[in-house]
Amino acid sequence: MFGARIWLTLTLTMAAVPSAAGGVSQFTLENGLQAVVIEDHRAPVVVHMVWYRAGAADEARGTSGVAHFLEHLMFKGTDDLASGELSATVEANGGSDNAFTSQDYTAYFQRIAADRLELVMRMEADRMRDLVLSESDWATELQVIIEERNQRTDSNPGALLGEQMRAAQYLNHPYGTPIIGWRHEMEALTREDALAWYRRYYAPNNAVLVVAGDVTPAEVERLARLYYGPLAPTEGLAPRQRVTEPPQLAERRLTFADPRVQRPYVTRSYLAPERDAGDQTQAAALTVLAELLGGNAATSVLGRALVFSSGKAIAASAGYDGMSLDATTFDLRVIPAAGVSLAEAEAALDETLAAFLREGPDPAQFARIRSLIGANEIYERDNVQRLARRYGEALTSGLTVADVADWPDTLRAVTEADVMAAAHAVFQRKNAVTAWLMRPESEGVLP
């Protein structure tokens, strides 16, 4: 009775949440700039984002890290703005701004009062084509990104293992190269490397503008035509053509020992399909599968079997993100309990996966997970910045506005048969990289 009351309350709460978006529209300027407008008039706030279809996986061999390097340099000056002036202006007007780089895109955003949209659009359009880099600018920022690698990767055994795993997972595809770059190649980057990347990829015909919040499509289009419309496109910019990964024929195994390791663990990644335009069913099934296997420590398949039943682990997780231009990974991790070796933890993981592949999910648990994912999709729409990011990621990862709109329905339509078919297809050991993170000579066992 108590559980039924909880679900009734959740249903009523969800029904009371107003739709975040009054509508989603799109237009394309003559110079190739694609734009998406998401209306949300509940608060006088706007999120303005520019996404470039260029990320770490588009870098030429030997210049790893240049996409992220340029992201930093974009906060320097232009012919009209002093170095740092854009961010300082946004802050002075009560807003915030930042940027991020992935394998498939680089994005820049400002969140600010709706009546300041023209201000941020003018500044963002200015740096799309008129960046100015002095000798001191690029040299100083190069040291900044090297120090970022020091702090986030080189000082973190787990991050170093993850880097090695991706390099082992992708023999040929550039997803095997870290977004931040290999250190020895980062140290060799130059001002000309950054400018060559900028001139080629930072152009209206390689960009997606996403504006979300208290705006109208007509006003956004008027401003976009005023500020982005005059910018010249990059001539001869062809669609992205990346090398493909050869068929994987054997599992790859790694052992990474480091005295800084606090908690040993075993982790495995399987090569997995991405979300594709017009065909998202398998990706939706893998999204549900990840939640079933490792989404909640108390109720997931791995959590119940390894943490609460056998006590062989203190944590177990699963993860999948299909938002990727090319093939991605499905990831598993088990942190063994005290006195349990990594070999024992891996064996317990394999036994649990084998049982799941034989028996399938518990029907009640499957229904609960699917409802939970549906509820999360509704609440995601309540955050205008996350909604804007969803469209920007999709359009720079090979998807369309229609695919984003269809995704919640695709998730709701997933069946147990879909999940099991996806699990059997992905959980092939020949497509896996299995790794142990441990202390030297410890065999992964904590006392």
Side-chain angles (χ1 to χ4, degrees):
M1 185 64 183
F2 182 65
R5 194 172 300 153
I6 291 175
W7 280 107
L8 177 61
T9 302
L10 176 61
T11 302
L12 292 174
T13 302
M14 287 167 54
V17 175
S19 173
V24 179
S25 58
Q26 58 182 321
F27 61 88
T28 302
L29 299 184
E30 288 76 7
N31 59 10
L33 179 75
Q34 184 178 6
V36 175
V37 182
I38 306 165
E39 292 184 78
D40 180 355
H41 300 291
R42 292 173 299 168
V45 175
V46 66
V47 174
H48 173 270
M49 309 187 85
V50 171
W51 299 70
Y52 293 97
R53 293 183 177 92
D58 300 297
E59 296 165 342
R61 295 285 188 182
T63 61
S64 64
V66 70
H68 176 246
F69 184 30
L70 181 63
E71 177 213 308
H72 279 243
L73 293 171
M74 284 289 284
F75 291 87
K76 304 302 180 182
T78 70
D79 53 353
D80 294 324
L81 297 169
S83 181
E85 184 178 348
L86 186 151
S87 294
T89 302
V90 171
E91 183 178 2
N93 281 272
S96 59
D97 73 319
N98 214 325
F100 43 89
T101 303
S102 86
Q103 293 284 5
D104 298 317
Y105 54 76
T106 309
Y108 303 83
F109 71 89
Q110 300 86 31
R111 181 182 176 92
I112 202 165
D115 62 359
R116 303 295 197 277
L117 173 61
E118 182 170 5
L119 171 66
V120 296
M121 190 178 289
R122 173 177 56 79
M123 293 190 295
E124 192 66 76
D126 183 39
R127 67 174 172 177
M128 181 178 281
R129 278 311 213 183
D130 292 329
L131 183 67
V132 175
L133 295 181
S134 69
E135 288 294 329
S136 60
D137 281 341
W138 79 268
T140 300
E141 211 60 40
L142 182 61
Q143 296 309 309
V144 170
I145 64 167
I146 290 172
E147 181 56 29
E148 184 177 335
R149 182 183 168 90
N150 287 340
Q151 293 180 4
R152 295 188 178 182
T153 304
D154 295 336
S155 64
N156 184 336
L160 289 171
L161 175 62
E163 196 173 74
Q164 294 295 306
M165 286 185 69
R166 289 189 68 85
Q169 184 80 73
Y170 295 97
L171 295 181
N172 195 42
H173 193 281
Y175 283 172
T177 300
I179 294 170
I180 198 166
W182 299 116
R183 185 186 183 93
H184 66 287
E185 292 183 351
M186 294 170 64
E187 292 173 339
L189 291 173
T190 67
R191 175 177 178 270
E192 191 51 46
D193 290 330
L195 287 174
W197 180 266
Y198 174 72
R199 292 171 186 138
R200 178 173 178 80
Y201 292 115
Y202 280 50
N205 56 325
N206 198 46
V208 177
L209 169 68
V210 181
V211 179
D214 190 18
V215 296
T216 64
E219 179 65 4
V220 173
E221 184 169 356
R222 183 188 72 81
L223 292 174
R225 289 189 178 280
L226 178 63
Y227 292 107
Y228 292 108
L231 301 180
T234 293
E235 297 296 331
L237 186 61
R240 286 187 279 192
Q241 296 290 333
R242 292 178 180 164
V243 297
T244 57
E245 189 69 10
Q248 296 195 3
L249 305 177
E251 180 184 11
R252 294 113 199 216
R253 298 189 65 88
L254 303 173
T255 300
F256 186 77
D258 191 302
R260 298 171 295 180
V261 171
Q262 297 298 311
R263 178 67 66 175
Y265 59 76
V266 57
T267 182
R268 181 181 296 152
S269 62
Y270 296 88
L271 203 63
E274 74 283 1
R275 284 171 62 179
D276 289 323
D279 183 13
Q280 303 181 91
T281 300
Q282 191 172 22
L286 290 170
T287 300
V288 174
L289 175 64
E291 190 68 26
L292 275 169
L293 290 179
N296 182 290
T299 61
S300 66
V301 171
L302 295 178
R304 285 183 297 176
L306 303 180
V307 178
F308 292 97
S309 179
S310 70
K312 291 186 176 180
I314 61 169
S317 61
Y320 168 78
D321 182 0
M323 191 66 78
S324 177
L325 187 63
D326 299 314
T328 184
T329 59
F330 191 104
D331 304 305
L332 303 168
R333 180 176 297 182
V334 176
I335 303 176
V340 177
S341 71
L342 291 176
E344 292 172 312
E346 184 181 346
L349 170 64
D350 289 336
E351 290 169 6
T352 304
L353 291 178
F356 178 81
L357 291 173
R358 286 193 311 270
E359 301 164 10
D362 173 77
Q365 177 73 345
F366 177 81
R368 188 190 72 80
I369 290 297
R370 198 169 57 177
S371 296
L372 175 64
I373 291 176
N376 288 340
E377 283 291 316
I378 291 174
Y379 288 126
E380 278 286 315
R381 301 177 201 173
D382 206 40
N383 185 305
V384 69
Q385 186 160 330
R386 282 203 290 266
L387 194 59
R389 179 162 182 158
R390 178 177 297 188
Y391 280 90
E393 283 182 323
L395 293 175
T396 50
S397 300
L399 301 176
T400 66
V401 169
D403 292 320
V404 179
D406 291 344
W407 181 241
D409 289 338
T410 305
L411 286 169
R412 282 191 288 269
V414 169
T415 66
E416 292 182 42
D418 292 331
V419 169
M420 295 312 296
H424 281 284
V426 168
F427 292 156
Q428 302 286 330
R429 292 293 285 269
K430 68 178 182 179
N431 292 330
V433 176
T434 302
W436 290 5
L437 180 69
M438 56 193 292
R439 297 172 185 166
E441 308 302 326
S442 72
E443 297 184 356
V445 181
L446 286 180

